[in-house]
Amino acid sequence: GANLRQLTSAQVNSLEPAWSPDGTEIAFATDRDGNYEIYAMGVDGANQRRIANDARTNFSPAWSARDDLAWATAISSTQGAIEMINMRGGNARYNTYLQPLHYLDHLAWSPNGLRIAYDGAPAANLFNGIFADNVELIYGPNGLFDFFMGAWSPDASRIALTQVIYRVENNQLVVQQRIVQSVEAQYSNIALRTTFVEGLQNTHVDWRWNDAVPPSVDAKLYFPATAQDTEVEVAHTAFD
C-alpha cells in the first residue's frame, strides 16, 4: 500500500501492534526499557506511553471491544499469566482466574469483548493447547503437535486455529505439516474441524466478513497460504 509511515524508533525493538476499538490508538510491545513492556500511542506515533509498569516481560497485547487492554506476562522463567487494564478507567488488575502457564501467547478477544482465548502449555515438556477463560478447549497430550491461537469467528461460536504436527528425526522435532482447524468455543461438546490440510506456511489465521450482512451469514476464513502471506479464501461459513 501507499503512505508507509514509521511510528516507533528504529533504535529499539517494537512489535505486536494492536488497534484500539475506536481506531485512535495502537498498543504494542517494546524493549526500550530493557525488558519488553506494553506501550500505547496515537495512530500518528505521538503520545507514546508505558502501560505495563513492572520488571516482568510483557507481550502479546490484545485490545477488546469493551476497551480492555490485555497482555501476557512472564511471572517467572516457568510461569506466565494474563494482566489487563481498562483503558477508559485506567484500573489495572491481575486476573487470578486465568491459570498461570509455563507458556502462553497470541491473546485474542471475542468480538463482544467478554471472553479471551490464547494458546499455552501448562508445563515445559508439554505441547500447546487452546484455552478460553481458563478452560482448555483443545489439547493433545499424547501427540507430537502444537495448537496455535488464530481468531474468533464473528459470532464467537468457534475459534480458528493452526495445528503444527511434528515428526522425530535424529532425536529432534521437525515440522511435518501445518493444518488450519476450528473448534467450538464452548466448554462442552467440543468438536474440532479441519478446513485445510496442507500448504500452510504460517501459524496465523483470521476471520473476515462482509459488513453489509450479518457476520454469521457471509463469514470467510483466510490464512497466509505462502511465505509471502498471500490471502487465500479457505471456506465460507459452514461450521454449523
Side-chain angles (χ1 to χ4, degrees):
N3 195 24
L4 179 66
R5 292 181 293 176
Q6 181 175 318
L7 303 179
T8 60
S9 171
Q11 305 304 314
V12 297
N13 293 306
S14 299
L15 63 159
E16 301 179 319
W19 287 96
S20 65
D22 63 4
T24 63
E25 291 194 287
I26 299 172
F28 60 100
T30 177
D31 64 354
R32 64 187 60 185
D33 300 310
N35 61 309
Y36 274 96
E37 293 290 358
I38 305 301
Y39 272 67
M41 62 181 172
V43 294
D44 58 356
N47 190 27
Q48 298 192 18
R49 63 199 188 279
R50 184 169 171 171
I51 304 301
N53 189 15
D54 55 49
R56 298 194 293 265
T57 297
N58 300 290
F59 55 98
S60 191
W63 213 320
S64 81
R66 298 163 61 89
D67 230 6
D68 288 316
L69 178 60
W71 60 87
T73 183
I75 298 175
S76 67
S77 60
T78 59
Q79 280 193 325
I82 292 177
E83 292 182 325
M84 74 172 67
I85 184 172
N86 184 271
M87 297 296 283
R88 295 174 187 168
N91 297 317
R93 59 192 186 276
Y94 174 70
N95 290 275
T96 54
Y97 70 89
L98 290 168
Q99 63 180 343
L101 297 171
H102 174 76
Y103 163 87
L104 65 89
D105 204 350
H106 307 117
L107 276 60
W109 286 100
S110 60
N112 60 10
L114 296 177
R115 303 178 64 192
I116 191 167
Y118 49 94
D119 54 67
N125 60 340
L126 298 177
F127 291 93
N128 286 6
I130 301 295
F131 294 78
D133 309 325
N134 198 33
V135 175
E136 198 169 57
L137 297 181
I138 183 74
Y139 181 57
N142 299 317
L144 294 177
F145 45 82
D146 280 318
F147 293 104
F148 292 95
M149 179 64 196
W152 293 81
S153 64
D155 64 359
S157 66
R158 301 189 68 85
I159 290 174
L161 56 99
T162 302
Q163 181 183 9
V164 179
I165 303 172
Y166 305 97
R167 66 176 183 273
V168 179
E169 289 186 5
N170 300 321
N171 294 321
Q172 292 185 334
L173 291 181
V174 177
V175 175
Q176 175 176 306
Q177 193 176 32
R178 295 175 175 89
I179 301 173
V180 175
Q181 307 204 43
S182 72
V183 64
E184 289 185 8
Q186 304 300 322
Y187 307 140
S188 61
N189 191 30
I190 293 175
L192 186 66
R193 301 192 182 187
T194 301
T195 57
F196 196 76
V197 294
E198 62 182 349
L200 189 63
Q201 301 295 323
N202 199 312
T203 57
H204 176 75
V205 292
D206 199 359
W207 293 88
R208 305 248 176 119
W209 60 86
N210 184 343
D211 292 335
V213 296
S216 61
V217 174
D218 194 28
K220 301 176 183 179
L221 179 63
Y222 285 80
F223 71 97
T226 70
Q228 287 74 39
D229 290 345
T230 302
E231 291 181 353
V232 175
E233 180 182 336
V234 179
H236 287 270
T237 306
F239 306 122
D240 51 5

